[in-house]
Amino acid sequence: MIPQVHLHSLCLLILYLTTGYSQEGKFSGPLKPMTFSIFEGQEPSQIIFQFKANPPAVTFQLTGETDNIFMIERDGLLYYTRALDREARSTHNLQVAALDASGAVVEGPVPITIEVKDINDNRPMFLQSKYEGSVRQNSRPGKPFLYVNATDLDDPATPNAQLYYQIVIQLPMINNIMYFQINNKTGGISLTREGAKELDPAKNPSYNLVVSVKDMGGQSENSFSDTTSVDIIVTENIWKAPEPVEIVENSTDPHPIKITQVRWNDPGAQYSLVDKENWPRFPFSIDQEGDIYVTQPLDREEKDAYVFYAVAKDEYGEALSYRLTIHVKVKDINDNPPTCPSPVSVFEVQENERLGSSIGTLTAHDRDEENTANSFLAYRIVEQTPKLPMDGLFLIENFSGMLQLAKQSLKKQDTPQYNLTVAVSDKDFKTLCSVQINVIDINDQIPIFEKSDYGNLTLTEDTKVGSTILAIQATDADEPFTGSSKILYHITVGDSEGRLGVDTDPHTNTGYVIIKKPLDFETAAVSNIVFKAENPEPLVFGVTYNESSFAKFTLIVTDVNEAPQFPQHVFQANVSEDVAIGTKVGNVTAKDPEGLDIRYSLRGDTRGWLKIDHVTGEIFSVAPLDREAGSPYRVQVVATEVGGSSLSSVSEFHLTLLDVNDNPPRLAKEYTGLFFCHPLRAPGSLIFEATDDDQPKFRGPHFTFSLASGNLENDWEVSKINVTHARLSTRHTSFEEREYIVLIRINDGGRPPLEGIVSLPVTFCTCVEGSCFRPAGHQPGIPTIGMAVGILLTTLLVIGIILTVVFIRMKKDKGKDNVESTQASEVKPLRS
């Protein structure tokens, strides 16, 4: 039988060998300080490390916080015998020493640290099975009013102890809307925006919540959870705007004076006021109890009402709720006397005015509050000057201030002006106002012309508009510079066209006759004009205008030869561009004021498209028209009188050419440089665009595309992309390295339809870096390489010959100079 201790060692050795701990340097090694991490809850008898010691060490000793869990064999095999529990001890501090045969320490002890790693083996637990709290209605959403708390014994640095809070049930649930929310990390319960609006203790005074908590951050199906109950009482919100406040103006009481108050639902709020209107001098304040004060006397006439806001904030300066609106009305006292509308109020009354007639209304003002006793005014005449022919000629209505004629009609020649003193009173004050009443003349005299006939006046019909042609004069015996004596002149007979007008000089009443519209000999050669002079003020009863207020003169207009006149500056016509030659395309008309015949001609017909009938003014086409060449086509029509001075005038004729489909489709641009890289590895395609020169239709061009020859169909394919673009594609890849000309038929779909055949040159060539490489070849006008070399050599040879000739010539000239020099020296006489 094998002893039990040896059997246990044998089992550990087998486990050690099968688990790979025998690998040198990873699971075994010399005795030195080490740290090991082990998950809690693992099966016992797990090997940790194999320590090795050098002789004379023969065994190992383990001490420290072993808790009878950690063991070491004589050969240095460190292991543990029970599952570890991090919540019982998270770190085990051990010491290992190597001993010799006598038990003496020969190496160490060295520290060995065992860190117990956490696993999720503990469920979270709420600290209370039931929570209770209260919240005010209209509290700020998102601000917690109650916290629920749970704990988890697992390692807080791992997800095992990361808690996630959630509201599972809300009772009652109204309209399926959550009134409460919870911070899933802190457990803080607050109102939602809907809850802040809808909570009302009168409807539902209490709510019950079921709150759950999960570990693993709530993200794992294997997380543990717990629930608790939360009872919430809804209390009335006392954060309400106070009733409007009335403050008597100009108070003499000591200030500040408390006028109202606001209160937040909980103590500790910080209060402030916000001026809505940014008044320069804000006369209100609030203390930290929420009491609101007026800080100085108010004046209603300066400002009769104030609107401002009260705000409550927490200790961090965050608003606790919405701000409250405070209304203050300044109550009026009678502290303003009546004021006169002006230093002197002036009125007019006509002489012979009937008794009781209204002269005017005196309207005084009072700055105190309207429609109150403080601003209710009473009027009374206290003095009349002069008192002629008697006192009390005038009456004033007590409350409206309307002045009336009281006793008899007035005469301007007796007294032209009266002055009244009127007392205007409210219940405490009285003000004296001055009133001046002017007696004005009545219109009992008619204007009388100084002469009734101004004779004949002859003018040419081209007399300039605005010219003054005559001065007329009437007089009026009424008071000067009044509506009774002012004279207005009107033409009553002889000018139905309104060619003349009369302006009056306000100082002299002289009338100046002016031309307002051009005169016309042909329609009005002689006009018998009649003037009427009248006043802007109506005449008094029994007085009427008579023949003395009328005058006449005769206007004779002489003829002036005038050019023909067109009825309009521009004549317009529309015609299709394909009309037959000789078609009438329009006509123009003109009239000569003297009735002479007119001859028509065209000017500016640069294309020679039109002709005009010289007598009738009818215009005809004489050549094919082309809208694309120019539309509208503009020419000038000249009308010349036949006989007389041959005067002429000019008008415009604009001919708009309506489009017909007479232009075949074409390519929108010149397509050059189209190529495919040779050899073609896969079928390729190119895109091209079509257009034509006709007028764009409402729905735009609609082209169709096809190959122009059946022989091309084996190599090419055309497909339509849209109404103007198409794609040319290759059907295979076996193309030669050369240029191909692809003919394409384009139909415009017009009425009638037109077709055009266009050619697309496509080159298959060797490509270098994505571009077509074309070796230089002989082109017309460009020499070949051989020719270029020959030309260069010939040029060099000619240059060489020229240089040789020049060199020989220079050498001969130099020899000649030497001979001449020698000869000269031979004949030169010697000097003694």
Side-chain angles (χ1 to χ4, degrees):
M1 176 180 290
I2 302 174
Q4 186 173 357
V5 175
H6 291 167
L7 181 61
H8 181 261
S9 299
L10 181 60
C11 291
L12 287 175
L13 180 60
I14 294 172
L15 181 62
Y16 173 72
L17 293 174
T18 59
T19 56
Y21 274 79
S22 61
Q23 297 178 19
E24 184 67 31
K26 187 172 182 181
F27 302 109
S28 64
L31 185 64
K32 62 180 180 178
M34 299 188 74
T35 299
F36 301 95
S37 295
I38 302 174
F39 281 101
E40 65 174 331
Q42 291 188 354
E43 293 297 324
S45 299
Q46 295 287 332
I47 298 173
I48 301 174
F49 197 75
Q50 171 74 61
F51 291 103
K52 296 181 178 180
N54 299 319
V58 296
T59 186
F60 290 88
Q61 181 184 46
L62 179 65
T63 58
E65 298 170 346
T66 62
D67 295 345
N68 293 324
I69 299 175
F70 296 95
M71 302 291 182
I72 193 166
E73 294 296 320
R74 290 179 58 84
D75 59 357
L77 193 64
L78 178 65
Y79 62 97
Y80 58 96
T81 60
R82 297 201 310 270
L84 303 181
D85 185 0
R86 192 201 66 81
E87 289 70 41
R89 189 189 293 274
S90 60
T91 303
H92 293 264
N93 296 305
L94 310 177
Q95 294 85 35
V96 176
L99 309 179
D100 59 12
S102 63
V105 175
V106 296
E107 190 176 351
V110 298
I112 304 299
T113 303
I114 306 296
E115 296 177 347
V116 183
K117 297 184 68 174
D118 186 48
I119 63 172
N120 191 24
D121 57 349
N122 292 280
R123 64 176 293 196
M125 299 288 291
F126 278 104
L127 300 182
Q128 300 174 210
S129 60
K130 185 175 184 179
Y131 289 83
E132 295 180 348
S134 64
V135 63
R136 296 271 186 186
Q137 66 177 139
N138 304 127
S139 292
R140 190 178 69 179
K143 182 175 177 60
F145 60 86
L146 175 66
Y147 285 88
V148 296
N149 293 290
T151 60
D152 192 310
L153 296 178
D154 288 322
D155 187 357
T158 66
N160 301 331
Q162 289 183 6
L163 303 185
Y164 182 87
Y165 297 93
Q166 186 177 8
I167 296 177
V168 180
I169 298 174
Q170 171 191 294
L171 296 175
M173 175 75 80
I174 301 171
N175 296 328
N176 202 32
I177 297 175
M178 291 295 293
Y179 290 166
F180 301 91
Q181 59 187 347
I182 190 168
N183 187 305
N184 53 37
K185 293 183 179 180
T186 65
I189 299 176
S190 61
L191 295 180
T192 62
R193 291 187 180 275
E194 293 78 9
K197 294 178 182 178
E198 302 296 335
L199 281 187
D200 186 351
K203 296 180 181 178
N204 291 292
S206 64
Y207 289 81
N208 176 257
L209 306 179
V210 175
V211 178
S212 73
V213 62
K214 294 182 179 180
D215 59 15
M216 303 296 289
Q219 301 300 313
S220 173
E221 296 180 357
N222 300 323
S223 59
F224 294 110
S225 64
D226 191 18
T227 59
T228 188
S229 176
V230 181
D231 292 331
I232 300 173
I233 304 298
V234 181
T235 58
E236 182 182 6
N237 178 27
I238 63 173
W239 180 247
K240 296 179 180 179
E243 294 295 324
V245 179
E246 279 195 354
I247 301 176
V248 176
E249 67 171 329
N250 298 322
S251 172
T252 57
D253 294 337
H255 287 72
I257 301 173
K258 179 180 176 181
I259 57 173
T260 188
Q261 66 181 32
V262 294
R263 293 289 186 271
W264 177 244
N265 296 312
D266 302 308
Q270 299 176 3
Y271 300 98
S272 60
L273 298 180
V274 177
D275 179 16
K276 176 183 178 182
E277 300 167 313
N278 295 320
W279 195 249
R281 185 169 50 89
F282 185 61
F284 301 97
S285 65
I286 189 171
D287 62 20
Q288 291 313 302
E289 297 298 323
D291 295 334
I292 299 176
Y293 300 86
V294 58
T295 58
Q296 61 192 38
L298 305 180
D299 184 1
R300 192 204 69 83
E301 287 70 44
E302 179 182 342
K303 187 171 177 60
D304 61 355
Y306 294 84
V307 179
F308 53 92
Y309 303 108
V311 179
K313 298 182 179 180
D314 59 19
E315 63 272 18
Y316 304 108
E318 296 291 331
L320 293 167
S321 185
Y322 52 85
R323 56 190 185 180
L324 303 180
T325 304
I326 312 298
H327 294 273
V328 175
K329 178 182 178 182
V330 184
K331 189 174 181 181
D332 185 47
I333 63 173
N334 191 21
D335 57 347
N336 290 281
T339 59
C340 302
S342 61
V344 178
S345 300
V346 180
F347 299 93
E348 292 183 344
V349 59
Q350 282 190 342
E351 60 180 351
N352 295 330
E353 192 75 55
R354 290 182 295 174
L355 296 182
S357 296
S358 173
I359 299 173
T361 300
L362 178 67
T363 304
H365 303 281
D366 194 306
R367 295 183 63 202
D368 290 318
E369 187 173 1
E370 293 182 4
N371 303 318
T372 66
N374 297 333
S375 61
F376 185 74
L377 304 181
Y379 299 84
R380 182 172 59 88
I381 298 175
V382 296
E383 186 178 4
Q384 170 191 311
T385 303
K387 297 178 175 59
L388 295 176
M390 65 184 68
D391 196 6
L393 290 174
F394 304 96
L395 176 70
I396 191 167
E397 207 282 326
N398 192 24
F399 299 117
S400 69
M402 183 179 71
L403 287 161
Q404 295 174 291
L405 191 61
K407 291 186 176 180
Q408 70 174 51
S409 297
L410 307 178
K411 292 292 184 180
K412 179 179 175 64
Q413 57 268 32
D414 295 337
T415 305
Q417 185 181 95
Y418 290 90
N419 294 297
L420 306 179
T421 301
V422 178
V424 184
S425 307
D426 61 19
K427 67 177 184 176
D428 297 313
F429 297 95
K430 180 176 70 173
T431 301
L432 298 178
C433 297
S434 296
V435 176
Q436 177 181 306
I437 299 177
N438 296 322
V439 181
I440 61 174
D441 185 33
I442 61 174
N443 192 14
D444 57 357
Q445 301 293 322
I446 64 172
I448 298 175
F449 273 102
E450 63 178 6
K451 57 182 179 180
S452 60
D453 190 344
Y454 284 86
N456 297 336
L457 180 62
T458 301
L459 299 173
T460 60
E461 64 177 331
D462 61 351
T463 301
K464 186 177 180 181
V465 173
S467 300
T468 300
I469 62 174
L470 181 66
I472 57 178
Q473 182 71 60
T475 58
D476 193 301
D478 287 313
E479 181 181 358
F481 306 110
T482 66
S484 299
S485 63
K486 182 179 180 180
I487 298 177
L488 301 177
Y489 299 95
H490 303 286
I491 297 175
T492 59
V493 176
D495 187 28
S496 59
E497 297 295 326
R499 300 181 189 275
L500 304 180
V502 185
D503 291 340
T504 302
D505 186 323
H507 300 289
T508 64
N509 274 340
T510 300
Y512 296 97
V513 182
I514 61 173
I515 299 178
K516 295 174 60 178
K517 295 181 180 179
L519 304 179
D520 188 6
F521 168 80
E522 286 73 24
T523 59
V526 179
S527 300
N528 295 310
I529 307 297
V530 177
F531 300 107
K532 179 182 179 182
E534 56 187 353
N535 306 126
E537 287 288 338
L539 297 173
V540 297
F541 180 74
V543 179
T544 59
Y545 295 103
N546 57 35
E547 66 275 4
S548 300
S549 299
F550 292 86
K552 66 179 181 178
F553 90 105
T554 300
L555 176 62
I556 301 173
V557 179
T558 59
D559 188 29
V560 174
N561 189 22
E562 299 171 274
Q565 296 176 355
F566 284 100
Q568 59 201 63
H569 295 296
V570 178
F571 293 84
Q572 295 182 335
N574 299 331
V575 68
S576 178
E577 65 173 326
D578 63 345
V579 296
I581 294 175
T583 300
K584 177 183 174 181
V585 297
N587 70 286
V588 298
T589 58
K591 183 175 71 173
D592 185 75
E594 288 75 37
L596 298 176
D597 291 336
I598 294 175
R599 175 183 176 84
Y600 298 97
S601 61
L602 294 180
R603 181 189 298 168
D605 183 15
T606 57
R607 298 186 181 275
W609 285 353
L610 305 175
K611 74 174 182 178
I612 190 168
D613 187 298
H614 301 306
V615 178
T616 65
E618 295 176 314
I619 300 175
F620 300 88
S621 65
V622 295
L625 306 180
D626 185 2
R627 185 199 67 84
E628 289 72 33
S631 177
Y633 186 57
R634 296 178 175 90
V635 296
Q636 290 182 327
V637 179
V638 182
T640 305
E641 64 183 14
V642 179
S645 303
S646 298
L647 297 179
S648 63
S649 57
V650 178
S651 181
E652 295 280 336
F653 178 70
H654 294 176
L655 180 62
T656 299
L657 301 178
L658 305 178
D659 188 45
V660 297
N661 194 28
D662 57 350
N663 288 278
R666 59 179 176 82
L667 292 176
K669 62 180 181 179
E670 184 180 357
Y671 286 90
T672 59
L674 301 179
F675 70 92
F676 290 107
C677 292
H678 186 274
L680 196 63
R681 301 183 182 276
S685 63
L686 301 169
I687 295 175
F688 62 94
E689 180 184 1
T691 186
D692 70 19
D693 297 316
D694 290 315
Q695 185 176 12
K697 302 176 181 59
F698 175 75
R699 60 188 181 94
H702 280 264
F703 297 120
T704 57
F705 305 87
S706 61
L707 292 172
S709 171
N711 297 332
L712 300 172
E713 293 180 354
N714 293 331
D715 299 328
W716 304 94
E717 178 182 13
V718 175
S719 57
K720 184 176 180 179
I721 298 177
N722 54 35
V723 296
T724 58
H725 290 74
R727 177 180 285 107
L728 175 65
S729 305
T730 61
R731 286 186 174 273
H732 57 79
T733 60
S734 302
F735 287 87
E736 298 178 5
E737 187 176 1
R738 63 179 180 86
E739 183 181 65
Y740 291 79
I741 302 299
V742 183
L743 301 180
I744 296 174
R745 178 180 289 107
I746 306 176
N747 187 301
D748 64 6
R751 295 182 182 178
L754 293 180
E755 289 185 349
I757 295 179
V758 300
S759 61
L760 284 178
V762 182
T763 301
F764 289 82
C765 58
T766 303
C767 290
V768 177
E769 296 182 354
S771 299
C772 185
F773 174 75
R774 296 181 177 89
H778 177 66
Q779 298 182 19
I782 299 178
T784 63
I785 295 177
M787 292 173 63
V789 172
I791 291 171
L792 178 60
L793 292 176
T794 302
T795 302
L796 292 175
L797 179 60
V798 170
I799 292 173
I801 293 172
I802 293 172
L803 291 175
T804 302
V805 171
V806 171
F807 177 76
I808 293 173
R809 182 66 178 270
M810 289 177 64
K811 189 171 183 181
K812 286 182 178 181
D813 290 345
K814 186 176 180 182
K816 184 178 180 179
D817 290 342
N818 291 335
V819 171
E820 291 177 353
S821 177
T822 303
Q823 292 174 351
S825 61
E826 291 176 352
V827 299
K828 186 175 181 181
L830 296 176
R831 292 184 180 181
S832 56

